[in-house]
Amino acid sequence: MREIKTVTILGANGAMGSGSAGVIAAFGGAKVHMLARDVEKAKQGIEAAVASVKTDTIRARMIPGSYDADLEKAVAESDWVFELVAESYEVKEPINTRIAKARRPGTIVSTVSSGLSIGRLAKAYDEDGQKHYYGTHFFNPPYKMILCELVTHAGNDKKVTQALGEYLEKVLGRAVVYTNDTPAFAGNRIGFQLMNEVAHFAEKYADKGGIALMDEIMSGYTGRAMGPLATADFVGLDVHKAIVDNIYDNTKDEAHETFKLPGYFQKLIDAGKLGMKSGGGLTKVVKHADGKREKFVYNIKTGEYDPYPKFDIPFIKEARQKIKDSDYKGAMDVVKNASGFEAEIARYFISRYISYSLSLVGEVVDTKENTDGAMGFGFNWVPASAFVDFLGGPKETIKLMEASKIPVPKLLKDAKEGKKFYELGDKLDARSLFKG
């Protein structure tokens, strides 16, 4: 792979495009062609890129342009073409046809996609182009979220893959996770499995607190900064639907049925209630005349919004206090030994998360460190392997899974007792991801 001195960004005015351009210009020192539908939008992308990395020094290296007037010329002089246009084959494939005609041999071309087939997109290119075509799934915002899923397909060259991975890691400061060309890759496959199944449980327990209760049960003491359903609301219910529908249609694993979109999600989507970006979805915030804000939550049974409730669940309070005292194993002991249906749900989803993460090793990724990295760096969730250690090791974790009727992955069955299971500690301190 040749040195990357000039980069073309396609989709430069979007949040991901401008944010990625800022990282490439600031850390990579590259000249960046910022292309959008028109030059004014490209200029807006440059301003957003500068703001994202908080330095004006990159502005001089960023050149605005449009797809119609500047794509071929920009691509012809680029060492890397980074495409971030809309998430659909109908939009990406015609752009790829144009790139394929203009690129020089040896130029890297990559796409940001949350789950489209990289192998299918690569078919627009000749043998050299396919060798140099990748998925580079940055997470948003790129300056703060350092994960990059580097997605390979059958036509790639291993030496190019290694060189690109080293560039992304050593020059751009990415935490690189290598994934195979499978639906939703690693992070979204694991993350949206949990989020979508929690959404189903919210419907099952609608009369006990529904959405708010599930996010309380799966709150910070279970190793995430934001509840699963709050995350879905943040991402957007339409985006959530696109991801889980893609996984449901194109996979057949043991969690397959959990990827069915809940009916109330579709009802909210049809009503234009897509989440935070539309002013409301699973929750909404109302500003009163006196300036005070009040949070409401969607009532799955009535279709109305109720004031967001507070909960007093003793084992959760106890686990949170253990985490505040930096006693992470103690917190998991509380969860393991607590009684009540809320504790059963917590144990079920902790077991499911570990099981599903480890079950994807071999199919989606080659090592558990890749799924651990995807969840830690991409979602800010405590990685599955770290949970195994906090729960007391493989045997204790298997007992928890069996009690919750969750499949035990072979990787865990074969693990040696007494040996540390989590191996990213020098790169990612899992304890910092628990919220008390």
Side-chain angles (χ1 to χ4, degrees), residues 283-341:
T283 62
K284 68 176 182 178
V285 176
V286 174
K287 186 177 181 180
H288 296 295
D290 60 3
K292 290 184 179 178
R293 295 175 178 270
E294 186 178 4
K295 188 175 182 180
F296 291 82
V297 62
Y298 183 71
N299 185 316
I300 298 168
K301 285 196 165 184
T302 67
E304 303 295 327
Y305 285 89
D306 300 332
Y308 203 95
K310 291 183 178 180
F311 298 94
D312 185 11
I313 303 174
F315 89 90
I316 294 179
K317 290 169 66 176
E318 188 180 350
R320 285 174 176 159
Q321 187 57 54
K322 294 282 187 183
I323 289 167
K324 286 180 181 177
D325 296 336
S326 300
D327 183 4
Y328 306 99
K329 287 186 177 180
M332 290 302 102
D333 284 340
V334 169
V335 176
K336 284 194 293 184
N337 297 316
S339 59
F341 82 95

Side-chain angles (χ1 to χ4, degrees), residues 347-368:
R347 289 191 288 267
Y348 175 87
F349 278 112
I350 289 171
S351 297
R352 169 70 89 181
Y353 172 57
I354 299 168
S355 171
Y356 197 62
S357 294
L358 297 180
S359 75
L360 298 185
V361 177
E363 176 201 352
V364 178
V365 296
D366 292 337
T367 69
K368 63 182 173 63

Side-chain angles (χ1 to χ4, degrees), residues 71-82:
L71 187 147
E72 279 75 16
K73 181 181 177 183
V75 167
E77 67 170 83
S78 291
D79 306 300
W80 178 16
V81 179
F82 194 15

